[in-house]
Amino acid sequence: MSSESEMRRPEVSAGMAAARDRGVRLGRPPAPLPPSATRAAELRGEGLSLAAIAAALNAEQVPTPSGKGQWAKSSVKYVLDRHDAAQGSV
């Protein structure tokens, strides 16, 4: 199924597909790695679970990447995955 933009501007869609094939990253650049990622990685190194890391970050009042709300297992996993990816690319 074609999207509306493909039907209106096939040359644009073809150009974007060619760029993706060349390995060009399209879209908004990723947000910078939050400083809390280092602390979360330290806690993981101590053998803590994702839930325990979230609890520790909340107890230490470490801000979440968005600066809102509290840490949850899923947000800790997201930050640790990004931290690991950044470490692998260095």
Side-chain angles (χ1 to χ4, degrees):
M1 180 183 304
S2 296
S3 70
E4 184 178 330
S5 63
E6 288 175 334
M7 293 188 309
R8 288 187 294 163
R9 302 282 309 265
E11 65 278 4
V12 172
S13 296
M16 290 175 69
R20 279 191 296 273
D21 291 343
R22 291 191 310 269
V24 174
R25 185 187 184 287
L26 302 174
R28 183 172 29 179
L33 191 62
S36 55
T38 303
R39 180 63 182 139
E42 290 171 356
L43 294 169
R44 180 184 52 186
E46 295 174 12
L48 274 67
S49 67
L50 294 176
I53 293 171
L57 293 173
N58 286 326
E60 295 172 11
Q61 297 183 340
V62 175
T64 62
S66 69
K68 303 174 190 171
Q70 292 195 346
W71 286 94
K73 292 186 303 185
S74 59
S75 54
V76 171
K77 180 171 178 7
Y78 171 75
V79 166
L80 288 173
D81 288 346
R82 291 202 48 222
H83 179 267
D84 293 345
Q87 296 301 314
S89 64
V90 172

